[in-house]
Amino acid sequence: MTTEPASLENLRVLYQDDDYIVVDKHWDIRIDSKMWYEKLTVQAQLRHRFPQLVDTSTYYGFRFCHQLDFSTSGALCVALNKAAAGQAYRCFKDRTVTKAYLALLRGHVEKQTQTLDFSIGKNSTEGKTHMMCIEGTEGCENSKPCQTELMALEYGLYDGEPVTKVLLLPLTGRTHQLRVHCSAINHPIVGDFTYSSGADDGPYRMMLHAHLLYIPLEPQPLLVTSEDPFVPSLDPKWLPQHSLRTLTPTVEALLESRAEKDRKMKEEEQEKVKREENRKKCSKQPESEELSRQCQEWLSEWAGD
């Protein structure tokens, strides 16, 4: 981990196999760009580091499975072939992916565990069309429901001002969701220039980091974590004062909860398939009294659910 700006050479790889690469995206760098003058992107870093893996059938040479904002750092998954990209896409589409972000928020968040539930839409106000906004605010268009879970980890100071270190879990995936939700509860992310109307320009970066990425791929799920960059040894302006919960056990509990949810979903799907098979079997003429009895028994049980 470093506070140095991004360069073409300093791409950090967190995971690599034949199908995927997960990189530790630097802050203040775009994933890709069609602008000729933007030479430094994650795509350019990948081309520089892995020229042999460039896929000439794609525009950027690599298939990015998801997005991270220009100002956000952390775990970013890249598919190395079309089949791998398709499998990852289905996981994101079905919302079975788990992502957890670390952030420093302005002020001390009093409610230590909460679900932020604000619909978010595009801001149509002149000069703010690059921003998102909360439903009901001026210029907000096409808002959609969004939920984010927030868990406070530590209270402390950043450059002498009160801040809270939090873990953020987006349950939906809207543009700038975490930034807008934190701003909506009057605890904006430290260094978020855009959603502070340009006022929060002191820190060297926006303090939002993609810490954990879990994609339930088959047959082997992909689980990657990126180091916590918000530590005093890296940024002495951050001074923790009071710990509320530690990061590792919190993430482990999160993953256990996700695994239990996935298990129940699989059981429900298997039960659904079994019922459909029994329904088809019983819709046909029974071949014997025993089969007829079994069908009637099953139908009675099913009707009582």
Side-chain angles (χ1 to χ4, degrees), residues 278 281-301:
N278 285 336
K281 184 188 297 184
C282 291
S283 66
K284 299 177 181 179
Q285 183 68 27
E287 297 178 0
S288 66
E289 290 185 8
E290 175 62 20
L291 180 58
S292 177
R293 184 189 64 77
Q294 289 177 357
C295 286
Q296 289 301 322
E297 206 172 87
W298 176 82
L299 288 169
S300 297
E301 290 178 359

Side-chain angles (χ1 to χ4, degrees), residues 185-257:
I185 60 170
N186 298 314
H187 293 288
I189 296 172
V190 173
D192 191 344
F193 185 83
T194 299
Y195 289 96
S196 66
S197 300
D200 199 349
D201 61 353
Y204 73 97
R205 60 162 292 180
M206 183 180 73
M207 306 300 178
L208 180 62
H209 179 74
H211 171 63
L212 175 142
L213 178 64
Y214 170 77
I215 308 177
L217 302 168
E218 296 290 350
Q220 182 64 40
L222 188 152
L223 172 61
V224 180
T225 58
S226 172
E227 290 180 44
D228 178 3
F230 310 134
V231 291
S233 59
L234 184 64
D235 186 357
K237 289 186 177 181
W238 160 236
L239 179 63
Q241 292 182 315
H242 177 56
S243 177
L244 304 169
R245 52 171 63 88
T246 52
L247 179 59
T248 300
T250 302
V251 168
E252 288 175 351
L254 165 67
L255 291 173
E256 287 176 7
S257 175

Side-chain angles (χ1 to χ4, degrees), residues 31-268:
I31 292 176
D32 46 43
S33 177
K34 293 182 180 180
M35 303 301 180
W36 63 269
Y37 54 82
E38 286 198 271
K39 305 296 185 183
L40 183 57
T41 62
V42 177
Q43 175 256 350
Q45 289 179 320
L46 286 165
R47 281 181 174 272
H48 179 78
R49 177 79 170 270
F50 302 106
Q52 75 281 9
L53 297 179
V54 173
D55 187 342
T56 55
S57 68
T58 66
Y59 185 87
Y60 293 110
F62 293 90
R63 295 178 170 88
F64 296 99
C65 299
H66 56 116
Q67 297 289 314
L68 289 179
D69 290 347
F70 170 78
S71 303
T72 305
S73 61
L76 174 68
C77 185
V78 183
L80 298 179
N81 55 70
K82 190 174 182 179
Q87 190 179 7
Y89 169 77
R90 285 189 292 273
C91 292
F92 279 96
K93 182 176 180 291
D94 295 339
R95 293 185 180 179
T96 57
V97 174
T98 299
K99 295 184 286 183
Y101 293 73
L102 288 165
L104 296 183
L105 306 187
R106 292 289 180 189
H108 286 172
V109 180
E110 291 186 12
K111 193 174 181 181
Q112 297 176 11
T113 303
Q114 55 183 302
T115 299
L116 311 182
D117 192 355
F118 301 95
S119 294
I120 293 177
K122 189 78 174 176
N123 197 331
S124 63
T125 306
E126 186 176 355
K128 296 185 178 181
T129 54
H130 61 294
M131 298 172 64
M132 305 296 283
C133 52
I134 295 297
E135 183 180 38
T137 57
E138 183 180 357
C140 192
E141 295 182 348
N142 192 31
S143 60
K144 296 181 180 179
C146 297
Q147 294 83 37
T148 301
E149 289 186 5
L150 181 153
M151 287 176 278
L153 300 173
E154 289 180 293
Y155 292 143
L157 301 173
Y158 189 85
D159 205 14
E161 298 292 329
V163 299
T164 306
K165 186 176 186 176
V166 299
L167 191 68
L168 299 170
L169 282 68
L171 305 182
T172 51
R174 291 285 280 165
T175 302
H176 295 180
Q177 176 178 319
L178 303 182
R179 300 164 68 181
V180 175
H181 273 179
C182 291
S183 181
I185 60 170
N186 298 314
H187 293 288
I189 296 172
V190 173
D192 191 344
F193 185 83
T194 299
Y195 289 96
S196 66
S197 300
D200 199 349
D201 61 353
Y204 73 97
R205 60 162 292 180
M206 183 180 73
M207 306 300 178
L208 180 62
H209 179 74
H211 171 63
L212 175 142
L213 178 64
Y214 170 77
I215 308 177
L217 302 168
E218 296 290 350
Q220 182 64 40
L222 188 152
L223 172 61
V224 180
T225 58
S226 172
E227 290 180 44
D228 178 3
F230 310 134
V231 291
S233 59
L234 184 64
D235 186 357
K237 289 186 177 181
W238 160 236
L239 179 63
Q241 292 182 315
H242 177 56
S243 177
L244 304 169
R245 52 171 63 88
T246 52
L247 179 59
T248 300
T250 302
V251 168
E252 288 175 351
L254 165 67
L255 291 173
E256 287 176 7
S257 175
R258 178 81 242 194
E260 178 64 16
K261 184 178 179 180
D262 290 345
R263 185 187 64 79
K264 287 182 179 180
M265 286 177 62
K266 285 182 179 180
E267 287 180 353
E268 289 173 0

